[in-house]
Amino acid sequence: MNRDGRLGIGIIGAGKVGPVVGAALGGAGHAVVGITAGSDPERVEAVLPGVPTLEPAEVVRRSELVIVAVPHDQLEGLVAGLAALDAWQPGQLVLHTDPAFGTGVLAPAVAQGAIPLAVHPALVFTGTSMDLRQLATAYAAVTAPGPVLPIAQALAVELGCEPVVIAEADRPVYAEGVGAATEFSRSIVRQSAGLLAEAGVPNPGAYLSALVHSTIDHALAEAGSGAPGDPTATIDG
C-alpha cells in the first residue's frame, strides 16, 4: 500500500460484479491497474475506461489488492491454479465477492503469504454504472481473519456499503438467504406477469411495479420489526 493509503487494484473477472467493484474503489481513490478479459469489452470499458486488459497472473503480479469476482464454480480452481504458478505475493490482499464462501477458499493464496478477505455486496448487479448508485444503499457481508477484519470492513465502506460481519461457518446459510430472496422474487414476478398477460393486461411488468414494490417494502418493514404479518394484508386491505 502506498503511504497515502491508495492501493493498486487488479480485477479477475469481467462479468457484472468485478468492473463495478473496481469502479467503486477507484472512485474512493484507489488505482485500478488491470482487469482480465470478458465477453463484453464495451461494457467494461464504459465502467472502467482506459484500464488495461491483462492475463490473470499479470493482474496478480501488478496488484496490491486482487478482486476475484468469478462464477461460484470457478473460484476454487482459479485460486489454486494461480497458486500453482506461484502468482500470489506475500502481503498482498486477495478479496473475493462470492456469497457462499468465506476465506477458506483462498487457502492456496494464503499459503503463499496473501491476506484473505471475503466481501459480498448484497445487490443484484447489472454491470453498469447504475450499480454504483445502488451500492450506496446496500449492505455487504464481510468475512476475514480477526486481525484483518477492519481492512475488509473499510473496503466495504469504500464501496459505499454498510458492512455486516458473517462468520466463516455461516457463509453457506447466508448465501442461501440472499439466494432465496433473489430467485424467489424473480420467479414470483415472472409467474404473476404471465398470469396478467393471460388475463389481457397489455404491460404486466409495468402493471405490477407499484404493487410489487409496495408489497416488498411492507415485507421488509415487517422483517425488520420481527412482526409476522399477513402476506395478503397489503393486497386485500
Side-chain angles (χ1 to χ4, degrees), residues 56-118:
E58 183 63 13
V59 168
V60 175
R61 187 186 71 80
R62 296 190 185 191
S63 305
E64 295 163 298
L65 166 62
V66 180
I67 306 293
V68 185
V70 298
H72 176 80
D73 59 356
Q74 296 178 20
L75 178 57
E76 189 171 10
L78 174 71
V79 175
L82 287 167
L85 297 174
D86 292 323
W88 303 110
Q89 304 168 49
Q92 182 177 56
L93 298 169
V94 183
L95 182 156
H96 79 74
T97 59
D98 191 288
F101 288 117
T103 58
V105 71
L106 300 174
V110 174
Q112 294 181 347
I115 298 170
L117 311 170

Side-chain angles (χ1 to χ4, degrees), residues 99-102 166-179:
F101 288 117
I166 303 294
E168 181 85 14
D170 291 334
R171 290 291 288 217
V173 175
Y174 166 78
E176 184 178 358
V178 296

Side-chain angles (χ1 to χ4, degrees), residues 14 51 55 67 87 106 124 130 144 163 167 198 235:
V51 173
E55 292 297 319
I67 306 293
L106 300 174
V124 176
M130 293 188 298
E198 186 179 335
I235 297 175

Side-chain angles (χ1 to χ4, degrees), residues 2 4-7 9 23-32 158:
N2 298 329
D4 63 0
R6 281 191 5 138
L7 293 167
I9 296 175
L25 292 175
H30 302 292
V32 182
E158 289 187 323

